[in-house]
Amino acid sequence: MRISVIGAGYVGLVTAAALASKGHNVIVVDIDETRVSMISQKKSPIFEEGLDDMLSDCIESNRIRAIGDCEGILATEITLICVGTPSNPDGSMNLNYIKASAGDIGRMLSTKSERHTVVVRSTVIPGTTKGIIIPILEQNSGKKANVDFDVAVNPEFLQEGKALHGFFNPDRIIIGEEEQRAGDMVQKLYEGIAAPVIRMGLTTAEMIKFTSNAFLATKISFINDIGNICRRLGVDVYDVVKGVGLDYRIGEHFLSAGIGFGGSCLPKDVKGLVHSSRDLGYQPLVLESVLEVNKNQILNMLQMVEEKLGNLEGKTICVLGLAFKPDTDDIRNAPALEIIRLLIEKRAMVKTYDPLAIPNAKKVLPEKVIYCNDAKEAVNNCDCILVLTEWDEFRDESLYRGKVVFDGRRILEPKRVGMMCDYQGICW
Ligand code: UGA
């Protein structure tokens, strides 16, 4: 198929490379010239396992190319909108990129005679495709959806760090459609990928994406809540999960207690859903608590540090890990950043190390932060260590010998390290 993908961020680039590697012809459109030129030079602008190699193979075999303007979509039969939907300061979702893309696509469609399918793959508040995107497409093209062109929703469930694996091995493929023709086009993209395909209305598909992320976030805040109780009882929440997770109705996944969830998706999507729910006249109590518990985990860790060290002014704190999770350089909403800001506010000295995320962290953290070349250098001469991302290299127990350690990610086995360091887990 001839496919255009709007947006060369995580979702767009992974989707584009994966589709091209399946033999489709793909054009990636992004307004960011640096991104376009990096892709053209066979370099991925984002870090994702396997993406560089896949991109460069596809570029060499002319199955993918990157361009800066939307005109390229005229040569394709289907366009996937993969632009970002960041949070506004009030938690609502910023749809500016989506609206701009829909306007661009609409204008292109006005000059195109061949039938075209527009697919919304960005995460958008339920109702957005029907209530905002279709009207913009229609206004700018002078054509009618379902009559002159087709529209579908196809949410992604990719996890950073495992995104390509996730693309080729999805748990399900969700397709929202108003007309069968639109859904058929989307289903054709995935031919050869074994997964249940579920087809439904546009808004239901959008809601599935939000419900999935909201449920994952709820699991994490739930187990952190339980973990905070466990810690006060002297019980290890990880032992509790072993016993609870065997119940098939509950399961053991996404119940790793710790410093809380970050990233570009779970915090943003839960906030967006809370906001839109309030707009609909309903106060979503569970989701509000999910955000509250997540925010409090950071304060809980800070309180533990203060209880141990007293006034933090002049104390040297080592933070191991900046990324919101391992195997990525992504620091968006990473708990480590917020903790570091609070530590600096309390006039502590912060030394830190992360295998990938330091260049990104340098752009947003206060200048005072000291960046180290490796974990060994970071843990040297500090009053305590905070482990905030579970990178494999932080599992080396020798790093912690004789130190005061606060583990936010269960990087260490408490029963093993209790004798060799002064160890506390955030929820265990
Ligand atoms: C998340 C979802 O998992 C994907 O299915 C979804 O497609 C994606 O958002 C998206 O909407 O695009 P991602 O943001 O890559 O994926 O990260 P996750 O692996 O879900 O982790 C999110 C955060 O939760 C991380 O900070 C992680 O450390 C934390 N986490 C995860 C826990 O604290 N405990 C757990 O048990 C699991």
Side-chain angles (χ1 to χ4, degrees):
M1 292 169 84
R2 289 168 289 122
I3 304 164
S4 42
V5 172
I6 315 282
Y10 273 98
V11 176
L13 214 48
V14 168
T15 304
L19 289 171
S21 81
K22 277 175 88 312
H24 298 296
N25 284 309
V26 183
I27 294 174
V28 188
V29 184
D30 200 294
I31 46 169
D32 184 331
E33 284 172 15
T34 322
R35 283 188 171 210
V36 170
S37 93
M38 280 182 80
I39 299 166
S40 307
Q41 290 160 39
K42 303 182 206 165
K43 280 241 143 292
S44 168
I46 54 160
F47 177 84
E48 182 61 43
E49 187 73 41
L51 188 58
D52 251 345
D53 288 346
M54 190 176 277
L55 257 184
S56 97
D57 283 354
C58 293
I59 290 171
E60 267 166 29
S61 52
N62 287 324
R63 269 177 283 134
I64 200 166
R65 71 191 165 92
I67 55 172
D69 68 63
C70 264
E71 249 173 56
I73 74 165
L74 289 172
T76 66
E77 57 198 303
I78 183 166
T79 300
L80 275 57
I81 303 180
C82 296
V83 296
T85 48
S87 278
N88 286 318
D90 66 356
S92 61
M93 224 170 226
N94 181 331
L95 296 177
N96 290 347
Y97 299 121
I98 285 278
K99 289 179 183 167
S101 306
D104 288 343
I105 297 167
R107 281 186 285 282
M108 291 301 130
L109 293 188
S110 69
T111 62
K112 190 176 182 234
S113 49
E114 186 197 355
R115 186 137 175 151
H116 200 87
T117 305
V118 181
V119 183
V120 180
R121 195 156 164 76
S122 302
T123 300
V124 292
I125 289 291
T128 303
T129 301
K130 220 177 162 123
I132 297 176
I133 298 177
I134 291 179
I136 295 179
L137 288 168
E138 289 180 334
Q139 274 159 24
N140 286 277
S141 63
K143 295 181 173 177
K144 274 296 305 136
N146 305 322
V147 179
D148 306 309
F149 64 91
D150 301 300
V151 179
V153 168
N154 173 224
E156 52 80 28
F157 301 98
L158 307 172
Q159 271 183 287
E160 282 184 28
K162 306 177 192 161
L164 285 171
H165 177 83
F167 185 93
F168 292 107
N169 303 277
D171 294 327
R172 73 296 207 192
I173 294 166
I174 299 294
I175 302 174
E177 63 197 349
E178 279 182 336
E179 283 291 329
Q180 193 183 338
R181 189 186 162 115
D184 288 347
M185 284 292 281
V186 177
Q187 196 161 342
K188 250 170 82 180
L189 295 173
Y190 294 97
E191 248 166 33
I193 293 180
V197 176
I198 309 179
R199 294 171 61 160
M200 73 277 300
L202 299 172
T203 307
T204 311
E206 291 167 337
M207 192 62 190
I208 286 176
K209 166 70 189 200
F210 271 88
T211 308
S212 297
N213 274 1
F215 188 64
L216 293 173
T218 303
K219 285 184 99 172
I220 299 166
S221 278
F222 169 79
I223 205 61
N224 286 341
D225 222 14
I226 295 287
N228 292 334
I229 303 171
C230 285
R231 188 166 182 273
R232 284 160 177 81
L233 290 169
V235 168
D236 185 340
V237 65
Y238 279 74
D239 289 342
V240 172
V241 168
K242 270 186 213 149
V244 170
L246 287 173
D247 184 327
Y248 77 95
R249 296 167 302 173
I250 298 174
E252 61 187 337
H253 300 291
F254 259 70
L255 290 177
S256 299
I259 192 66
F261 58 82
S264 65
C265 306
L266 299 194
K268 163 182 81 88
D269 292 352
V270 180
K271 278 184 205 156
L273 193 53
V274 165
H275 198 275
S276 102
S277 169
R278 286 184 192 143
D279 282 351
L280 292 166
Y282 176 72
Q283 190 186 358
L285 295 173
V286 171
L287 297 179
E288 286 176 350
S289 304
V290 166
L291 294 172
E292 189 78 8
V293 169
N294 199 48
K295 200 168 79 190
N296 282 347
Q297 283 308 83
I298 286 171
L299 303 177
N300 291 344
M301 178 162 268
L302 211 61
Q303 193 183 338
M304 285 163 68
V305 176
E306 281 182 317
E307 274 167 14
K308 184 81 195 171
L309 302 185
N311 186 348
L312 297 183
E313 182 165 0
K315 300 274 165 38
T316 304
I317 317 280
C318 163
V319 172
L320 288 184
L322 294 163
F324 82 99
K325 65 176 185 179
D327 305 319
T328 175
D329 63 352
D330 196 340
I331 52 161
R332 286 175 288 178
N333 294 302
L337 298 199
E338 190 53 25
I339 291 201
I340 290 176
R341 286 194 191 103
L342 293 170
L343 288 169
I344 299 268
E345 256 176 53
K346 289 179 181 283
R347 299 178 177 278
M349 265 201 9
V350 177
K351 297 199 309 174
T352 182
Y353 169 70
D354 186 287
L356 283 181
I358 290 178
N360 283 338
K362 278 184 178 168
K363 292 178 203 157
V364 295
L365 278 178
E367 276 181 10
K368 285 180 184 157
V369 175
I370 300 165
Y371 298 93
C372 300
N373 294 314
D374 55 35
K376 224 172 168 172
E377 183 189 331
V379 300
N380 205 14
N381 286 328
C382 65
D383 291 292
C384 74
I385 303 171
L386 274 49
V387 188
L388 300 182
T389 315
E390 65 275 39
W391 287 100
D392 267 346
E393 62 186 88
F394 299 161
R395 295 186 198 282
D396 175 2
E397 289 176 3
S398 70
L399 290 169
Y400 308 98
R401 201 173 300 279
K403 310 274 186 198
V404 177
V405 182
F406 297 94
D407 189 349
R409 294 295 191 180
R410 186 54 167 241
I411 194 87
L412 298 173
E413 185 45 54
K415 289 178 196 108
R416 277 176 53 83
V417 295
M419 300 294 279
M420 61 174 278
C421 62
D422 183 342
Y423 176 89
Q424 290 190 55
I426 183 164
C427 286
W428 53 91

